[in-house]
Amino acid sequence: MTSMLLDGYVVSLQIFAITLVGAIPLGVIVALGRLSRFRPLSWLVGLYISLMRGTPLMLQMFAVFFIPYYLFGQQTGPGYMFVAVMIAFIVNYAAYFAEIYRSGIQSMPRGQYEAAQVLGYSKGQTFFRIILPQVFKRILPAMGNEVVTLVKDTSLAFSIGVAEMFTTSRALVASQRSMVPFAIAAAIYWVTCLVIEFIMRRIEKRMDYYHD
């Protein structure tokens, strides 16, 4: 039982890690698009964020999974299930991260930009060398909450047949007629969240050299 749950946990960790690797940088791009002075771009990005935040992640996974067949008539193999999960998770979490980035960027005092301009920094240098490190500190608590939520959301992958830990525990409960697999899975999720919270607190302490 434990071995099977750990195999499912590995899949859950893969979903978690790939989502972070894809959504964190994509969120920066989306946030910059949302803050763009080019109104059509800002409006389109705002619509994307609204759709991602206003519809269930499970529904988005179903959409990504079935679109190739219903729109293009393309058959997809079993391997596409994991790809569909990753696409849905990345575009969904990128929207949430983008709003966190946007609020952090807009909270920065205007004087930071003016001081950088006086020192001869370009707009790109100002953003990446001065603004972004300070924004990162400000958004850490909110980012930590989203990362913890992501750990639990990996269980939604069961809806299109990806055998992550929740799917495995559910199958074990049905076959063994015991709630023990659910209890073990819950403990694993909990410990994972505790580890992430510990890591985020350590990062926050290391960022204390930035003072408002």
Side-chain angles (χ1 to χ4, degrees):
M1 180 191 302
T2 303
S3 176
M4 293 177 65
L5 286 172
L6 288 177
D7 288 341
Y9 181 58
V10 170
V11 177
S12 297
L13 286 180
Q14 289 175 342
I15 297 171
F16 173 79
I18 296 173
T19 300
L20 287 184
V21 169
I24 287 176
L26 180 59
V28 175
I29 297 172
V30 174
L32 293 177
R34 186 71 180 89
L35 293 170
S36 173
R37 294 181 180 178
F38 183 56
R39 301 289 297 193
L41 175 61
S42 178
W43 185 85
L44 285 173
V45 173
L47 177 62
Y48 155 71
I49 292 173
S50 179
L51 285 172
M52 291 301 103
R53 298 176 67 192
T55 57
L57 176 55
M58 187 181 295
L59 178 61
Q60 295 165 20
M61 282 192 292
F62 278 120
V64 175
F65 183 68
F66 288 113
I67 277 175
Y69 178 76
Y70 285 107
L71 289 187
F72 307 107
Q74 296 293 321
Q75 296 285 349
T76 56
Y80 182 67
M81 291 187 295
F82 187 80
V83 174
V85 167
M86 295 320 313
I87 293 172
F89 267 76
I90 289 172
V91 298
N92 178 275
Y93 270 84
Y96 283 93
F97 289 157
E99 283 297 276
I100 294 173
Y101 294 146
R102 181 189 60 79
S103 64
I105 293 170
Q106 291 183 326
S107 71
M108 295 300 299
R110 185 63 192 170
Q112 297 275 353
Y113 296 91
E114 294 171 351
Q117 186 177 11
V118 169
L119 293 171
Y121 283 88
S122 66
K123 289 184 178 180
Q125 290 173 326
T126 300
F127 180 76
F128 287 104
R129 295 187 181 183
I130 298 175
I131 302 301
L132 194 58
Q134 297 179 76
V135 167
F136 184 66
K137 176 199 171 183
R138 293 184 179 213
I139 66 175
L140 271 177
M143 288 290 289
N145 289 336
E146 287 300 322
V147 172
V148 169
T149 300
L150 173 58
V151 173
K152 295 173 287 185
D153 278 353
T154 58
S155 62
L156 296 176
F158 85 94
S159 60
I160 59 174
V162 174
E164 41 65 61
M165 186 169 61
F166 176 72
T167 306
T168 304
S169 64
R170 191 178 62 166
L172 287 169
V173 167
S175 64
Q176 300 188 13
R177 298 183 180 181
S178 169
M179 290 293 290
V180 173
F182 277 160
I184 296 174
I188 294 173
Y189 281 123
W190 181 43
V191 170
T192 303
C193 291
L194 289 177
V195 171
I196 291 172
E197 290 171 4
F198 173 78
I199 292 172
M200 296 302 294
R201 285 196 297 268
R202 295 289 295 179
I203 294 174
E204 286 185 48
K205 288 182 179 179
R206 291 183 66 87
M207 297 291 290
D208 278 347
Y209 56 82
Y210 286 114
H211 297 287
D212 296 328

